[in-house]
Amino acid sequence: VAQKTSGLVGSVTGVLFPLASSVSSLGEKERLGVIYKRVMRNITLLAAACTMAIAVFSYQILLYWLGKDFADKGAGILVILAATYFLLALLGPVINILMGLNKVRFLAAVSSFMAALNIVLLIILLPSLEILGAAWAYLGTALLVPFIFWWAEKNYLGLTEQFKYYRVLYGKILVTSASFFIIIKFFVVPYVRNLTELIIVGPLTVFFYLVIYKILGFVEKEDWELFVLFLEQIKVRLKIKKA
């Protein structure tokens, strides 16, 4: 379930690999940096929306899908995995861009180090925490993602003052997430009583998260214009509107 977040983001950002390769070949490093920041802003929002929906409904997902015993023992683990795949989802666009820039050696080193770290954390945490330890080990490995961002942005994309950029972005995400949690946890979750309702309501809350973000005035003007254009294209494809 949690893995769907990184899967969705990966399918959306696959185009970054050829795009980065093309822009790099033209020597337009500054343009690539602008594209990267815009993509990361929107991908972070989408990943946060999916992660919060999974986290809020973690108990209900396991309860209606696998039963009460699974829910009692696994809801906390699902929340940890949701946070883990949030970080891994954000890593996807960076990997695609670095592949386009032919930074394969760096990616191989990062992958090898993350795999080794995961093994070490498993050895330490599994004996005492069992499956919960495995979840914490995976999250501990994913915590390397911010370092990978910092290194790639500084050395390969030439981006500076990224701390300020992320501070503002994650400030917006935290405010939106807190508002979302309060509304959904206390006014929606209690009324979801079976798997069918969960399948319908769960995805709708992802959209609701995006609505809250918009209502709070956090959406950049250029991002909203792109979203409106995207909706217009969908209408054309669905033959709701003529091209």
Side-chain angles (χ1 to χ4, degrees), residues 201-221:
V201 174
L204 288 177
T205 59
V206 174
F207 178 74
F208 182 66
Y209 185 101
L210 303 178
V211 170
I212 295 176
Y213 193 85
K214 171 62 177 176
I215 291 175
L216 292 174
F218 294 154
V219 178
E220 300 286 342
K221 182 180 178 181

Side-chain angles (χ1 to χ4, degrees), residues 56 59 62 64 71 74 80 82 101 124 143 156 179-180 183 187 215:
V56 171
Y59 188 84
L62 296 179
Y64 300 132
I80 296 172
L101 296 176
I124 295 172
L143 290 177
Y156 302 134
S179 304
F180 175 88
I183 295 172
F187 298 102
I215 291 175

Side-chain angles (χ1 to χ4, degrees), residues 30-92:
E30 184 176 343
R31 181 187 168 205
L32 181 60
V34 173
I35 294 173
Y36 170 83
K37 292 176 69 172
R38 187 173 182 180
V39 168
M40 290 305 300
R41 182 169 65 233
N42 289 282
I43 288 304
T44 301
L45 173 60
L46 178 59
C50 295
T51 299
M52 285 302 300
I54 293 171
V56 171
F57 286 104
S58 60
Y59 188 84
Q60 285 69 26
I61 291 171
L62 296 179
L63 175 64
Y64 300 132
W65 181 24
L66 298 171
K68 189 175 186 303
D69 188 50
F70 273 95
D72 291 338
K73 296 178 180 179
I77 294 174
L78 182 53
V79 172
I80 296 172
L81 290 176
T84 301
Y85 279 105
F86 168 76
L87 292 171
L88 295 179
L90 300 184
L91 184 59

Side-chain angles (χ1 to χ4, degrees), residues 11 18 22 37 52 62 70 73 79 84 98 109 118 123 128 135 138 146 158 169 178 189 191 225 235-236 238:
S11 64
S22 175
K37 292 176 69 172
M52 285 302 300
L62 296 179
F70 273 95
K73 296 178 180 179
V79 172
T84 301
L98 292 181
N118 191 41
I123 293 173
S128 57
Y138 201 15
L169 174 60
V189 171
Y191 300 99
E225 291 174 349
K235 290 179 182 178
V236 172
L238 294 177

Side-chain angles (χ1 to χ4, degrees), residues 111-237:
S111 298
S112 299
F113 185 77
M114 291 181 72
L117 177 61
N118 191 41
I119 292 174
V120 171
L121 291 176
L122 284 172
I123 293 173
I124 295 172
L125 298 175
L126 265 180
S128 57
L129 299 178
E130 298 180 336
I131 190 172
L132 181 61
W136 281 117
Y138 201 15
L139 177 58
T141 303
L143 290 177
L144 286 175
V145 169
F147 170 76
I148 298 171
F149 282 177
W150 171 78
W151 183 270
E153 291 166 358
K154 178 182 177 181
N155 294 281
Y156 302 134
L157 298 174
L159 296 176
T160 58
E161 298 184 0
Q162 285 299 91
F163 178 78
K164 179 180 179 181
Y165 169 77
Y166 284 119
R167 183 183 64 191
V168 173
L169 174 60
Y170 280 95
K172 295 177 181 179
I173 293 296
L174 287 174
V175 172
T176 304
S177 296
S179 304
F180 175 88
F181 179 84
I182 293 172
I183 295 172
I184 301 302
K185 184 68 174 181
F186 296 103
F187 298 102
V188 177
V189 171
Y191 300 99
V192 176
R193 292 158 294 188
N194 54 61
L195 183 59
T196 301
E197 292 179 357
L198 179 63
I199 291 173
I200 296 173
V201 174
L204 288 177
T205 59
V206 174
F207 178 74
F208 182 66
Y209 185 101
L210 303 178
V211 170
I212 295 176
Y213 193 85
K214 171 62 177 176
I215 291 175
L216 292 174
F218 294 154
V219 178
E220 300 286 342
K221 182 180 178 181
E222 60 181 7
D223 294 338
W224 181 250
E225 291 174 349
L226 181 63
F227 175 72
V228 172
L229 179 62
F230 179 69
L231 286 181
E232 293 297 320
Q233 293 298 319
I234 291 178
K235 290 179 182 178
V236 172
R237 288 178 176 274

